[in-house]
Amino acid sequence: MSIKFNVKKQKYDLAGNGVLKFYAKAQSSGVVNFNSICETISDRSTVTKGDVMAVLEGCIFAMKTALNNGNIVRLGDFGSFQVGIKSEGTLTEKEFSASKIKSAHINFRPGAALTNMLDNLSYQKVSTPEV
């Protein structure tokens, strides 16, 4: 399989001269849901789909607890997860309070197994969808 992409013209110019260039945009080939992932794992192991689902649900619960406590969650070659935040800026540190924090998100940093997978991708150009 290969990663499908199309080409889109857009302005992406930090210098501000307004030049339009063509850039590749990855196109998904569909969606793989939680249920399908659990079936695939079950097919490759000696545990049932229900067992896989229970373990993954338990992992999510444990991750939520750890992240809520301010920990980084490292899952080996899968990768690591950490809470990140976005805030308004202030001119001085003294002016800053928690009310300046606007949102939180989860940062994911893929581990070696996923990062190395990127080295072997192939690409296939597809036509740009009509608007």
Side-chain angles (χ1 to χ4, degrees), residues 33-100:
N33 63 25
F34 182 75
N35 198 38
S36 295
I37 291 289
C38 290
E39 284 180 21
T40 301
I41 294 169
S42 176
D43 289 345
R44 295 180 48 87
S45 67
T46 60
V47 294
T48 68
K49 180 179 144 193
D51 292 338
V52 173
M53 292 174 91
V55 169
L56 291 178
E57 290 289 349
C59 183
I60 291 168
F61 177 83
M63 289 175 64
K64 286 172 33 180
T65 302
L67 291 169
N68 194 49
N69 289 330
N71 295 301
I72 296 171
V73 176
R74 288 205 171 98
L75 299 177
D77 280 346
F78 183 71
S80 63
F81 299 81
Q82 181 178 10
V83 172
I85 55 177
K86 293 182 182 179
S87 70
E88 294 178 9
T90 60
L91 295 176
T92 66
E93 183 177 349
K94 189 172 183 171
E95 291 177 84
F96 196 90
S97 68
S99 66
K100 299 292 184 186

Side-chain angles (χ1 to χ4, degrees), residues 82-123:
Q82 181 178 10
V83 172
I85 55 177
K86 293 182 182 179
S87 70
E88 294 178 9
T90 60
L91 295 176
T92 66
E93 183 177 349
K94 189 172 183 171
E95 291 177 84
F96 196 90
S97 68
S99 66
K100 299 292 184 186
I101 296 172
K102 296 302 170 196
S103 64
H105 56 275
I106 297 175
N107 293 323
F108 171 67
R109 289 177 213 83
L114 293 176
T115 303
N116 293 340
M117 177 269 311
L118 298 173
D119 294 337
N120 298 312
L121 293 177
S122 61
Y123 304 94

Side-chain angles (χ1 to χ4, degrees), residues 1-14:
M1 280 307 259
S2 57
I3 301 299
K4 294 179 177 142
F5 72 93
N6 64 11
V7 179
K8 183 178 178 187
K9 186 192 273 190
Q10 69 183 52
K11 191 186 320 182
Y12 186 74
D13 182 14
L14 298 178

